[in-house]
Amino acid sequence: WEKLIDRILREHLRLVPTVHEPCLYCSPHGTERILFKRQVDDFLVAVASRGLSDKIYDELDKHLRIPMRRQGLVHMYNGLDVRQSRWYIKISVETYLRRALKPYFSSWLELPSSPFPTPLGKSDNVLRRLYEAKGDSDPKAIAKLEKAHGLQYRQLVGTLIWPMTVCRPDLSQAIVKCAQASACPSDTHFHALKSICR
């Protein structure tokens, strides 16, 4: 499938894969630029006009046995929320976070009314404290901390890694430091995770 769709995109649509992301194709089309994202059998076209988008999908349909189902303007793509306007495209993982963090809403986490903010400001010394924090590797001590804070440490760290890599690199220092402490988290690490989620 991958070879077939790659051949169709290159030969028939004259799209060229980008250097750093072979599943992202681009091509100039007159004064417009076409961006085409291929993820297994999910396709996403970014162009300035609906007419050009339809033309690309029509050409692609000619070379496929089963016609594609067209979803129209994208609001979600492979777990990412996509908010589009005339002036910008915003990508977030708000829906993913709301679902993943739902078990904590009834205890220590309040349901946010707006998109998740950046909790670690420049004036905050959370990162410095994380680098200095030392925890206990005893499973009983970790279980006691998890019970006191109302969360499963490793599970929450794992939940936050995907949003961090996809669209929240600003949280990477804190989340990576918390991940490094998975075998022996301290109270400081638990507080940092809660701060990130808030």
Side-chain angles (χ1 to χ4, degrees):
W1 167 252
E2 184 180 344
K3 288 179 182 177
L4 170 69
I5 198 64
D6 183 65
R7 184 176 53 78
I8 292 169
L9 293 173
R10 288 174 186 250
E11 293 175 11
H12 300 286
L13 293 168
R14 302 283 183 236
L15 294 169
V16 179
T18 56
V19 175
H20 300 292
E21 179 56 68
C23 294
L24 179 64
Y25 298 76
C26 68
S27 174
H29 186 271
T31 58
E32 295 184 48
R33 182 182 178 99
I34 299 170
L35 289 175
F36 188 97
K37 175 71 174 164
R38 164 183 70 81
Q39 195 159 0
V40 188
D41 61 351
D42 292 329
F43 305 127
L44 186 66
V45 174
V47 290
S49 68
R50 178 71 182 256
L52 181 54
S53 169
D54 288 339
K55 234 163 123 178
I56 292 166
Y57 284 131
D58 290 342
E59 184 62 31
L60 195 53
D61 267 338
K62 288 180 191 176
H63 304 283
L64 299 174
R65 288 185 191 161
I66 301 170
M68 290 182 301
R69 191 170 51 143
R70 301 180 192 192
Q71 302 289 331
L73 195 63
V74 173
H75 299 287
M76 182 170 269
Y77 184 76
N78 288 342
L80 293 173
D81 297 311
V82 182
R83 189 174 301 148
Q84 302 180 57
S85 79
R86 184 177 179 177
W87 300 277
Y88 67 87
I89 297 174
K90 179 183 177 184
I91 296 173
S92 73
V93 288
E94 188 175 343
T95 302
Y96 166 82
L97 286 174
R98 285 183 188 277
R99 285 184 192 146
L101 298 176
K102 193 174 183 175
Y104 304 115
F105 288 146
S106 60
S107 55
W108 55 267
L109 185 61
E110 292 178 18
L111 182 65
S113 57
S114 60
F116 291 76
T118 304
L120 305 173
K122 290 181 181 177
S123 61
D124 202 339
N125 60 6
V126 172
L127 288 175
R128 184 180 55 77
R129 289 197 311 254
L130 278 176
Y131 279 88
E132 296 170 355
K134 300 278 187 254
D136 190 346
S137 60
D138 178 32
K140 288 181 182 177
I142 296 170
K144 187 177 177 184
L145 277 172
E146 286 182 340
K147 187 174 181 182
H149 286 279
L151 63 92
Q152 292 180 323
Y153 188 84
R154 289 182 183 181
Q155 181 181 355
L156 188 52
V157 168
T159 297
L160 295 174
I161 287 176
W162 184 72
M164 172 197 78
T165 57
V166 172
C167 64
R168 291 303 300 266
D170 55 314
L171 301 176
S172 59
Q173 273 187 297
I175 293 173
V176 167
K177 209 63 194 156
C178 288
Q180 290 171 345
S182 289
C184 53
S186 69
D187 196 53
T188 304
H189 293 102
F190 279 87
H191 282 294
L193 281 183
K194 285 184 169 184
S195 173
I196 290 166
C197 293
R198 288 188 176 117

